[in-house]
Amino acid sequence: MAPIELLIELTLMPLIAFIVGMMMVLMMRRIAARIQRRIGPPFFQPLYDIIKLHGKRTQVSHGLIHDIGIVMAMGGYIAAETLLPVPGMNGIAEKGGLITLLYLMMIPSLGLALGVGQCANPNGSIGIARALTAMLAYDIPLVIVIFGVAYAAGTTNLVEIIATQQAGGFATWGVVEMPLLAIAGLIAMHASLGKQPFEIYIAPAEIATGPMVEMSGKYLGGLFVMQCFQLYTTSVLYVSLFLGGGTTWFDFLIKSFLVLAIPVSIAYLFPRYRTEDLLRLMWKWPVMLGLIGLAFVM
Amino acid sequence: MSRLQKIPVVEEKKGNPLARVFDDLVRFCRSRSLFILHYCTGCGAIELPPAMTSRFDMERLGIQPMVSPRQADILLITGYVSIKTLKRVILTYEQMGSPKYVVGICSCTVNGGMYWQSYATAKKLDEYMPVDLYIAGCMPRPEAVISGLQKLMDRINSGEADSWQDYYRNYDYYLGNQQKLFGEDWQTPTDIITEAKHYELMGEGTLGQHTRLLEQHQKPLEALEMRLGHNIKEPVE
Ligand code: SF4
């Protein structure tokens, strides 16, 4: 591929991810509103929020690590987008593979931990401790699921995994071939989004939004942008692994929005678990399902 | 003549047209995305849940609750402020990122309301911090709260709601009133004068006799010592 073409793809993919991600945030808030019988925010609300936060006069920085932490939080996802194939664009997905992607998806949490650490706010520290514990909880089923899919496909190349599923049609989709892994993956994905009942590290009523408590202005704005990327990355990864990716933008977007709608609509019906409950739940059910699914695949 | 007087005087806009468009955009976004920090002091707070939840749904206007002063744009004071509470309100206000707006809900914030004769409440909120909007009533209904907030949105959009600058320009006045209530050695962790210099908002009223008094009593701020729970001294029996 020509370097110019690659460069264009590498710019376009995060950009598209951001726009789609903002629409996913909007969908999430609209679903929450509908469940609570409200109308919900207007269409451009996520954009208004982000522009406003970046346009504030006061920008309180707590130091260099604080700045770098936010950049890491966003940058980890931006790098992850270039490894996620979308219809018509593969970026560097063929060279990266699933394992690199998995690593890149952990960077934001670590960056956040660094940044929040410098704020020296006890609520933030508790929040980040919980976030890392939650990562420990959902990463084990996630790794089992991704290993299972890669083992069944015989490759960690996401482009090939998608191509095989698309060539074989619906019967070869991951969700049909490996239903147990798909269910385990859905639960792990839900936990990785950090929504209720797994919302242990935001918890506004208890630890005042945890990691976000000292963030203001563009730092909070950066976290809002990160959330757009997070929703996009998780749902597109799931679509690529289990739902055959997308042949056209139309079915790609429909699939990824639908996949995201499942955890989001569950989320606003439930209160929240405690940290140890989350750990117990995550290490029991999705891990068990995942291991049985793995046994079927092998 | 009378018709001539009604001709609006449009201020000629100067500067880079692109920057002006950008400023307009930011102002518009500011007005459409308001994070409120509801400091629920008095009884008026009871009208906020209905204003936020399904009956009146503030989120459709882009207003949503936030939990820490750093994240918030609006400080919502809902009812009487006792003198003890007022200290916390001022600390909270000074920590918020500008542009910030204060909305006083309830008659008690306007003039003391039915607590006028109480020795323990601060009567007029705008003696201690600049208030952008009052919503009077004992207590105002959610419709009133929402229509008030809409008015605030219009004012932000047109650039009129800039009373946060007033706190920097007339700091001496506000500090004086605070000192009257809390004593001469009243000091907050936020250094308003340095902030005013940073934002280039030094006005005639920034410095004065009260800030001089503050300088005399000012103690340098120290970071809190980090301790684990069991290190805290047990009370001596
Ligand atoms: S105005 Fe009335 S409702 Fe509001 S705080 Fe005062 S007494 Fe309570």
Side-chain angles (χ1 to χ4, degrees):
Chain A
M1 195 190 306
I4 295 287
E5 231 173 281
L6 186 67
L7 216 61
I8 292 176
E9 280 190 5
L10 292 188
T11 336
L12 267 184
M13 283 162 83
L15 214 62
I16 292 172
F18 178 52
I19 293 167
V20 176
M22 272 200 298
M23 285 181 350
M24 284 171 166
V25 172
L26 178 79
M27 181 188 76
M28 188 181 78
R29 288 174 66 173
R30 282 264 173 95
I31 288 181
R34 286 295 140 82
I35 287 175
Q36 296 161 357
R37 300 203 180 166
R38 291 187 286 121
I39 296 171
F43 187 76
F44 286 111
Q45 190 62 46
L47 189 66
Y48 295 154
D49 286 349
I50 289 171
I51 294 182
K52 180 210 72 176
L53 285 170
H54 283 88
K56 284 203 83 137
R57 281 290 294 275
T58 312
Q59 308 280 2
V60 185
S61 166
H62 294 270
L64 186 65
I65 301 293
H66 185 204
D67 301 356
I68 293 177
I70 302 294
V71 173
M72 266 173 82
M74 264 196 291
Y77 277 123
I78 292 178
E81 308 318 348
T82 56
L83 293 174
L84 271 178
V86 293
M89 284 189 276
N90 283 339
I92 47 174
E94 271 167 285
K95 300 183 185 68
L98 264 176
I99 296 174
T100 325
L101 183 65
L102 208 59
Y103 268 110
L104 285 178
M105 281 170 68
M106 284 178 196
I107 290 182
S109 299
L110 301 179
L112 214 56
L114 280 181
V116 173
Q118 198 169 34
C119 297
N121 188 313
N123 280 328
S125 306
I126 296 173
I128 216 66
R130 288 182 180 192
L132 294 183
T133 318
M135 198 166 91
L136 205 67
Y138 65 71
D139 258 358
I140 290 183
L142 198 65
V143 167
I144 291 177
V145 166
I146 287 186
F147 175 73
V149 174
Y151 188 86
T155 171
T156 56
N157 186 339
L158 212 49
V159 181
E160 273 178 40
I161 294 177
I162 294 173
T164 341
Q165 291 181 53
Q166 281 174 357
F170 181 69
T172 56
W173 279 12
V175 67
V176 181
E177 286 201 324
M178 306 165 272
L180 287 178
L181 284 181
I183 294 171
L186 198 63
I187 302 175
M189 169 187 139
H190 188 165
S192 76
L193 287 178
K195 290 279 151 217
Q196 299 96 328
F198 309 123
E199 189 214 25
I200 56 167
Y201 52 94
I202 304 293
E206 187 188 359
I207 50 170
T209 61
M212 284 150 51
V213 64
E214 277 291 317
M215 305 285 173
S216 68
K218 61 184 173 189
Y219 300 93
L220 189 62
L223 295 189
F224 274 46
V225 175
M226 187 196 99
Q227 191 195 20
C228 301
F229 282 130
Q230 186 194 23
L231 295 180
Y232 175 87
T233 314
T234 5
S235 69
V236 168
L237 178 64
Y238 192 85
V239 167
S240 313
L241 288 181
F242 292 111
L243 298 177
T247 39
T248 59
W249 276 102
F250 182 68
D251 70 338
F252 174 74
L253 286 182
I254 285 191
K255 275 180 202 166
S256 31
F257 275 89
L258 274 184
V259 162
L260 193 67
I262 300 170
V264 168
S265 15
I266 295 172
Y268 289 98
L269 298 175
F270 287 100
R272 166 164 65 74
Y273 283 119
R274 281 176 307 164
T275 316
E276 61 266 32
D277 289 341
L278 168 74
L279 221 66
R280 198 172 301 139
L281 186 109
M282 275 318 206
W283 284 358
K284 200 192 264 171
W285 296 109
V287 168
M288 205 155 76
L289 283 175
L291 286 179
I292 298 174
L294 205 59
F296 274 117
V297 169
M298 286 200 165
Chain B
M1 187 59 205
S2 62
R3 270 173 65 209
L4 275 183
Q5 279 169 343
K6 275 187 199 145
I7 294 175
V9 183
V10 182
E11 234 180 85
E12 185 130 351
K13 289 182 177 169
K14 287 183 223 118
N16 181 351
L18 212 66
R20 227 164 45 220
V21 170
F22 190 71
D23 281 352
D24 282 349
L25 175 74
V26 170
R27 262 214 311 270
F28 178 73
C29 291
R30 264 180 204 155
S31 73
R32 296 311 300 261
S33 151
L34 293 170
F35 296 167
I36 56 175
L37 181 71
H38 32 288
Y39 200 98
C40 296
T41 52
C43 11
I46 209 78
E47 294 293 343
L48 279 183
M52 259 178 245
T53 50
S54 41
R55 182 75 171 88
F56 294 103
D57 186 20
M58 282 209 271
E59 201 186 7
R60 73 200 145 92
L61 302 174
I63 304 172
Q64 46 169 324
M66 278 283 162
V67 290
S68 93
R70 293 253 188 248
Q71 304 163 352
D73 304 305
I74 303 185
L75 180 60
L76 215 61
I77 310 279
T78 57
Y80 59 86
V81 268
S82 71
I83 291 173
K84 243 182 174 177
T85 316
L86 186 62
K87 284 187 185 171
R88 276 77 187 172
V89 171
I90 290 169
L91 294 190
T92 311
Y93 176 73
E94 289 183 353
Q95 281 182 40
M96 285 166 60
S98 50
K100 52 192 168 188
Y101 316 98
V102 180
V103 176
I105 291 183
C106 275
S107 306
C108 281
T109 55
V110 183
N111 57 8
M114 65 184 253
Y115 293 94
W116 170 249
Q117 281 158 326
S118 161
Y119 60 88
T121 58
K123 306 292 179 296
K124 296 177 188 161
L125 190 60
D126 58 7
E127 286 182 349
Y128 308 99
M129 58 178 67
V131 177
D132 282 276
L133 186 87
Y134 279 122
I135 302 169
C138 180
M139 54 213 30
R141 282 188 53 82
E143 292 99 320
V145 174
I146 286 181
S147 93
L149 286 173
Q150 267 173 328
K151 211 158 268 168
L152 180 68
M153 285 164 70
D154 291 342
R155 286 171 54 93
I156 296 173
N157 196 7
S158 62
E160 287 168 68
D162 55 359
S163 65
W164 60 275
Q165 298 178 356
D166 197 47
Y167 195 66
Y168 295 109
R169 292 219 170 92
N170 291 317
Y171 183 53
D172 193 52
Y173 166 75
Y174 294 112
L175 185 69
N177 288 330
Q178 291 166 13
Q179 280 172 349
K180 228 180 276 169
L181 274 194
F182 310 137
E184 291 188 346
D185 53 354
W186 163 250
Q187 179 195 351
T188 58
T190 320
D191 191 350
I192 296 296
I193 299 170
T194 319
E195 272 188 21
K197 279 180 194 146
H198 176 76
Y199 294 131
E200 295 168 354
L201 286 175
M202 295 289 280
E204 288 193 349
T206 307
L207 298 173
Q209 49 166 338
H210 302 292
T211 51
R212 273 198 295 280
L213 201 60
L214 174 71
E215 269 164 33
Q216 284 170 20
H217 292 284
Q218 209 163 21
K219 289 188 211 90
L221 288 173
E222 286 160 15
L224 284 181
E225 196 189 334
M226 288 280 224
R227 271 202 244 111
L228 288 178
H230 58 79
N231 279 350
I232 293 173
K233 268 192 201 134
E234 302 277 316
V236 186
E237 309 251 318

